[in-house]
């Protein structure tokens, strides 16, 4: 596996990028999949180094779309294949089982870094539709999440290998879901530069505005552990004083920026209509904007003004999405079409 001290030259990074291919579901866990996993991990390490050195990342449309394909592939594998083989896999080779699950975090982390460059998001094109579907699942997971209670040291000794692995996997899945918040915020930054069907999906089919309000209310980045408050930030949990709850953390900041993009950007504002349901939900944002919050995130004053205007709006009883192109889940559908045996194992039918 790649090490943190490894440095990639521009030539070697380009060679690794060129080596990436779109794999099938049956390839997951194979030798060629492991080689690709290592290549992506090395590129991820180098991307972190590039950020520190203010260097340019190697971004092409083919590279970005291959990464998104790889991410949807491993997520599909985790949903459709892993539940069927996890008991045997963890028992026989827990290290491989971990790498297979960890791969999702590696790809997400790399995309999160690359998406800071707007050109990287735009390069994904209409495959953003598949990415948004995955992000929606992850955010809804966060909204309904209940953090487990702190484990008793005696119980830790009594845990089975499967239970210990599931606990590790819980932490991994949580990290991945949190990273998806940043991914989505970067998507909203360029939403008007993406295929028109993406705005329709974000504002209507999935109504990410309502989803983000629910996420802000759920606040899964704050937890009580052993009678102490903890905040998740920069990839780890840290103990905080109750007064620190007033601070707008990095995760909340990403949510607010995403909401401002979707509610205040002129094209989005024109497209996003209100009925009684979403009108009432969006107005709940007023409870989270205070003078202290605006001091930390000054652009919120514009959203605050928007919400004051929204109070005066009489919403329609129902709202209809605007006419336009309805995109489909191209990446996942193609993965399942090229892997009919895996799909039929899940559904019990021929595909």
């Amino acid at each position: 596996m790649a090490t943190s001290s490894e440095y990639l030259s521009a030539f070697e990074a380009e060679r690794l990028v060129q080596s990436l291919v779109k794999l099938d579901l049956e390839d997951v866990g194979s030798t060629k999949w492991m080689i690709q996993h290592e290549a992506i991990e090395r590129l991820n390490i180098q991307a972190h180094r590039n950020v520190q050195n203010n260097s340019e990342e190697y971004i092409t449309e083919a590279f970005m779309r291959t990464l998104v394909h790889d991410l949807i592939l491993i997520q599909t594998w985790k949903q459709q294949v892993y539940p069927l083989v996890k008991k045997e896999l963890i028992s026989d080779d827990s290290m491989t089982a971990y790498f297979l699950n960890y791969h999702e975090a590696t790809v997400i982390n790399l995309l999160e870094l690359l998406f800071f460059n707007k050109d990287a998001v735009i390069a994904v094109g209409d495959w953003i539709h598949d990415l948004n579907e995955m992000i929606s699942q992850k955010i809804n997971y966060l909204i309904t999440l209940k953090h487990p209670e702190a484990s008793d040291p005696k119980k830790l000794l009594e845990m089975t290998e499967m239970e210990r692995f599931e606990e590790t996997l819980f932490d991994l899945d949580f990290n991945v879901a949190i990273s998806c918040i940043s991914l989505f915020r970067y998507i909203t930054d360029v939403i008007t530069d993406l295929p028109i069907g993406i705005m329709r999906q974000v504002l209507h089919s999935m109504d990410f505005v309502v989803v983000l309000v629910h996420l802000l209310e759920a606040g899964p980045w704050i937890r009580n552990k052993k009678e102490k408050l903890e905040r998740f930030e920069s990839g780890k949990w840290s103990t905080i004083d109750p007064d620190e709850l007033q601070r707008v953390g990095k995760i909340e900041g990403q949510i607010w920026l995403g909401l401002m993009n979707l509610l205040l950007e002129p094209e989005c504002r024109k497209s996003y209509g209100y009925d009684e349901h979403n009108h009432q939900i969006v107005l709940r944002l007023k409870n989270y904007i205070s003078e202290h919050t605006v001091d930390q995130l000054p652009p919120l004053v514009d959203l605050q003004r928007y919400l004051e205007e929204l109070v005066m709006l009489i919403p329609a009883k129902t709202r209809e999405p605007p006419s336009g192109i309805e995109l489909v889940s191209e990446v996942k559908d193609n993965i399942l079409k090229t892997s009919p045996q895996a799909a039929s194992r899940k559904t019990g039918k021929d595909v």
Side-chain angles (χ1 to χ4, degrees):
M1 304 304 297
T3 64
S4 58
S5 61
E6 184 176 10
Y7 177 82
L8 294 178
S9 66
F11 173 79
E12 179 67 7
E14 183 173 349
R15 187 189 68 80
L16 287 176
V17 167
Q18 295 294 333
S19 73
L20 301 182
V21 296
K22 296 180 180 68
L23 300 173
D24 295 329
L25 210 52
E26 283 85 358
D27 294 323
V28 176
S30 67
T31 299
K32 66 179 178 179
W33 183 90
M34 286 293 188
I35 292 172
Q36 180 143 310
H37 166 76
E38 182 173 351
I40 292 174
E41 188 172 308
R42 292 174 69 191
L43 288 167
N44 187 35
I45 292 169
Q46 187 60 39
H48 279 82
R49 187 173 283 116
N50 288 347
V51 169
Q52 294 170 356
N53 298 332
N54 294 317
S55 302
E56 288 293 322
E57 301 91 359
Y58 188 86
I59 295 172
T60 65
E61 179 179 331
F63 176 42
M64 296 308 303
R65 287 169 75 89
T66 300
L67 282 180
V68 170
H69 181 278
D70 201 79
L71 179 60
I72 303 301
L73 176 70
I74 195 62
Q75 191 209 24
T76 304
W77 180 87
K78 286 181 67 176
Q79 291 175 341
Q80 305 219 19
V81 180
Y82 178 64
L84 305 176
V85 301
K86 71 175 183 178
K87 187 173 182 180
E88 182 180 356
L89 184 60
I90 294 170
S91 176
D92 293 347
D93 191 351
S94 60
M95 187 63 72
T96 297
Y98 177 77
F99 281 133
L100 287 166
N101 283 280
Y102 179 73
H103 183 72
E104 183 182 33
T106 300
V107 182
I108 285 275
N109 195 228
L110 179 54
L111 282 173
E112 189 178 5
L113 285 169
L114 296 175
F115 270 22
F116 187 76
N117 184 325
K118 294 182 179 181
D119 290 337
V121 187
I122 295 170
V124 178
D126 55 2
W127 284 12
I128 290 289
H129 180 275
D130 288 80
L131 193 55
N132 280 339
E133 289 196 333
M134 188 210 73
I135 290 171
S136 175
Q137 292 175 24
K138 301 296 186 184
I139 291 180
N140 279 297
Y141 158 79
L142 288 174
I143 291 170
T144 59
L145 178 70
K146 291 185 178 180
H147 289 290
E149 296 181 4
S151 300
D152 187 306
K154 291 182 180 179
K155 289 184 178 180
L156 285 174
L157 295 174
E158 298 171 356
M159 289 174 68
T160 64
E161 183 180 20
M162 177 69 75
E163 289 171 334
R164 286 193 295 271
F165 188 87
E166 290 296 330
E167 190 171 90
T168 300
L169 197 58
F170 177 89
D171 293 337
L172 198 58
D173 287 341
F174 179 78
N175 271 274
V176 165
I178 289 292
S179 292
C180 283
I181 298 172
S182 297
L183 282 187
F184 183 68
R185 174 263 160 126
Y186 293 136
I187 290 170
T188 66
D189 282 347
V190 296
I191 193 165
T192 56
D193 296 315
L194 296 172
I196 192 168
I198 299 300
M199 185 181 293
R200 178 188 173 95
Q201 177 201 32
V202 167
L203 296 177
H204 301 282
S205 302
M206 293 186 166
D207 200 343
F208 268 99
V209 173
V210 167
V211 170
L212 291 181
V213 175
H214 287 319
L215 179 60
L216 198 64
E217 292 175 327
W221 48 86
I222 300 291
R223 71 180 183 185
N224 277 290
K225 189 171 184 180
K226 296 182 179 179
E227 299 182 354
K228 291 184 179 180
L229 273 176
E230 292 185 337
R231 183 197 293 269
F232 188 83
E233 202 163 59
S234 300
K236 62 181 181 180
W237 289 100
S238 301
T239 302
I240 60 171
D241 294 325
D243 291 345
E244 232 188 304
L245 290 174
Q246 299 299 316
R247 179 174 68 84
V248 177
K250 294 179 181 178
I251 299 170
E252 298 101 306
Q254 296 283 26
I255 296 171
W256 282 120
L257 291 171
L259 281 167
M260 285 188 284
N261 284 336
L262 297 181
L263 291 173
L264 303 181
E265 198 287 324
E267 287 299 314
C268 291
R269 189 167 179 171
K270 181 180 177 181
S271 176
Y272 190 69
Y274 285 96
D275 58 18
E276 294 175 352
H277 175 69
N278 68 333
H279 183 258
Q280 173 261 329
I281 292 173
V282 173
L283 282 178
R284 297 208 297 254
L285 289 173
K286 288 169 59 67
N287 299 327
Y288 295 89
I289 303 178
S290 64
E291 184 178 343
H292 187 64
T293 313
V294 173
D295 286 343
Q296 297 174 76
L297 201 59
L300 276 178
V301 71
D302 294 326
L303 182 58
Q304 191 175 40
R305 190 177 301 115
Y306 171 84
L307 293 173
E308 289 169 357
E309 295 173 2
L310 189 61
V311 172
M312 308 302 293
L313 175 74
I314 300 176
K317 291 191 177 297
T318 59
R319 61 179 177 135
E320 295 293 332
S323 58
I325 299 172
E326 189 77 37
L327 299 176
V328 296
S329 305
E330 180 182 347
V331 182
K332 187 170 183 177
D333 286 353
N334 286 339
I335 287 171
L336 294 176
K337 285 177 183 177
T338 56
S339 306
Q341 292 182 347
S344 62
R345 282 199 299 271
K346 174 64 177 178
T347 62
K349 302 176 182 179
D350 291 333
V351 176

